[in-house]
Each structure stands twice: as C-alpha cells, then as structure tokens.
Amino acid sequence: DIVLTQTPPTLSATIGQSVSISCRSSQSLLHSNGITYLNWLIQRPGQPPQLLIYFLSRLESGVPNRFTGSGSGTDFTLKISGVEADDLGFYYCVQSTHIPYTFGPGTKLELK
Amino acid sequence: EVQLVETGGGLVQPGNSLKLSCATSGFTFSTAWMNWIRQTPGKRLEWLAQIEDKSNNYFISYLESVKGRFTISRDDSKSSVYLQMNNLKEEDTAIYYCTASSWFAYWGQGTLVTVSS
C-alpha cells in the first residue's frame, strides 16, 4: 500500500502568514494516463473533510485561490498564501492513483 | 445543492452487523464512483471501499482488511449507496462517511458506529 507522510504534524501561523504543508508518497502517484491523483482536504472543527485541491493542482469550485497545490512524482506541497481564520483545522493529503486509496496522517493548522 | 446523508450508525456489540445507507441528491449519482471512508477516534482517515458506475460494470474495490466482512452496493434508482458490515470488531469504531468521485469531491456529515460490549 502507498504510505503518505505529511510534515509538519502541527503548524502554528498568524493571520496573513503564508505556510506550506508537505506530503511525500512511498511510490510515484503519476497514473499511466498522465494524471497525478493527489488531492488535498481540509477538515474544520466538527465538520466532515472537504475537498480543496484535486489532481495535484486543480482548485475545487468555491475554494479561494490562496490555496495552491504543486509537486510531482512522490513530493507534493500545499501552500496557503495568507492564512485566514477560516483556514484553521486539519489538512490531509490523499492519493487515489493506486488501490487502496490512502490518506496522510494530517497536519493541524492552528493560530500562533 | 449537493447532499449526502448517511444513516444506520449506532452502538453494536462485537460480532454483530450493521448496514449503513447514504442517500444523495444534487449531482448525477448514476455516473459517480462512490466510496466509503471512516475516521477513527484518533482522526485517522481510512478508505474502505469503492463502487464504480454502470459503464464500468459497477466494479468494486475493497481495503484488504475489510474484504469479506464489508460489502458495498448501490441503487441508482434511489441515488443511494450502502455498506453492509458484518462481524464487527471494536477497531471498527469510527465515523463512517460516504463520498462521491474517486477524488472525494463530496462528503456526507458521517454516521458514528461504536462497537463495544
């Protein structure tokens, strides 16, 4: 099974600060069809997870463009350019290239 | 508006069964690949099963550790997906979510399953 590792486990930020979360995969997530099925989710307190970015870098409808996904192969990054209060919560990377689909352990974004 | 509503969770003794249901609306269910995912008390997310659409012959995939105990199914006429869970274990205690698409575009609010004697 694909293992996803996220760093850091906890991220303390001030409002307006730019931050990045890393997600590393134990195998390449590039599918034979050329798509990298690496997705990012946010889970706010008391809420189900919500899709932010899919297929490595595509912004889900309604998601602010301060969120950016990048990377290739086995190394991926989610960047938030200017943290807002609504961004606080847990962030998960998840791969859907290989069955079984697998999730990273999560990164908690909190206010400093 | 997209909605996914899971029902069927509850408290169950080890070895017993539960069937979860997920009723959906607001998107084209018949062409959506549907998944069940659970979140443990430690907040870890775990993919359990996927059922593809009719054009893919409703192909099903499972996490190896639940294969043979869990069964995913769907009813396109009701825009619903189901998860039959048998021989439940204490480690199956979690919030169970249904999601739409293989990139988890839509999520329900989840239903809590507690397995305890």
Side-chain angles (χ1 to χ4, degrees), chain B residues 30-101:
Chain B
S30 61
T31 59
W33 295 17
M34 300 300 296
N35 290 267
W36 284 96
I37 289 159
R38 67 186 177 188
Q39 187 164 36
T40 66
K43 288 222 170 279
R44 182 174 58 91
L45 289 164
E46 184 172 52
W47 172 84
L48 299 172
Q50 176 177 265
I51 184 166
E52 299 181 20
D53 64 345
K54 184 177 181 179
S55 71
N56 289 286
N57 298 314
Y58 300 117
F59 185 79
I60 290 173
S61 304
Y62 290 105
L63 181 68
E64 193 64 33
S65 60
V66 305
K67 197 179 290 186
R69 291 196 304 129
F70 290 9
T71 303
I72 189 171
S73 60
R74 64 190 291 162
D75 185 339
D76 288 352
S77 69
K78 296 182 179 179
S79 297
S80 294
V81 63
Y82 308 95
L83 187 68
Q84 175 69 46
M85 304 186 295
N86 297 331
N87 189 22
L88 283 161
K89 306 174 182 181
E90 291 190 351
E91 53 263 39
D92 294 318
T93 294
I95 298 173
Y96 286 71
Y97 296 102
C98 68
T99 72
S101 88

